[in-house]
């Protein structure tokens, strides 16, 4: 069972303001049907918290190893 939340609730659960989310800076990476749905084909979006939380946790576990260089080395600066 999915947990559907509104934009206001998404703002409360994350560190992003409602304005930032509604401008699309964060939500542009969300996929309809995975991260949000439009009930009855309308304009309003309901966000699927389970998928958003899963992907946030997945992205936070990505380890930064530096910038890969053409010669095979890594730049850490």
């Amino acid at each position: 069972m999915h947990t559907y939340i509104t934009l206001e609730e998404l703002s409360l659960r994350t560190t992003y303001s409602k304005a930032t989310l509604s401008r699309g800076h964060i939500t542009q990476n969300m996929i309809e049907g995975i991260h949000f749905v439009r009930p009855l084909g309308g304009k309003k979006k309901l966000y699927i918290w389970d998928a958003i939380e899963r992907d946030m946790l997945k992205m936070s576990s990505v380890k930064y190893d530096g910038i890969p260089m053409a010669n095979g080395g890594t730049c850490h600066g």
Side-chain angles (χ1 to χ4, degrees):
M1 180 58 90
H2 296 299
T3 303
Y4 297 100
I5 60 175
T6 63
L7 182 66
E8 292 81 11
E9 293 169 317
L10 182 60
S11 173
L12 292 173
R13 292 183 185 209
T14 62
T15 60
Y16 301 107
S17 71
K18 182 181 168 189
T20 300
L21 291 168
S22 62
R23 279 193 301 265
H25 296 301
I26 306 305
T27 56
Q28 69 184 358
N29 296 322
M30 294 184 184
I31 302 168
E32 187 168 359
I34 295 176
H35 299 106
F36 68 92
V37 294
R38 295 176 194 266
L40 305 173
K43 289 184 178 183
K44 184 172 181 168
K45 295 178 184 177
L46 287 178
Y47 296 90
I48 304 170
W49 176 245
D50 307 324
I52 294 169
E53 185 178 39
R54 178 197 67 225
D55 289 352
M56 284 192 319
L57 291 172
K58 187 183 343 175
M59 293 302 292
S60 69
S61 67
V62 173
K63 185 179 173 188
Y64 174 73
D65 289 329
I67 302 168
M69 305 299 285
N71 66 358
T74 305
C75 176
H76 297 283

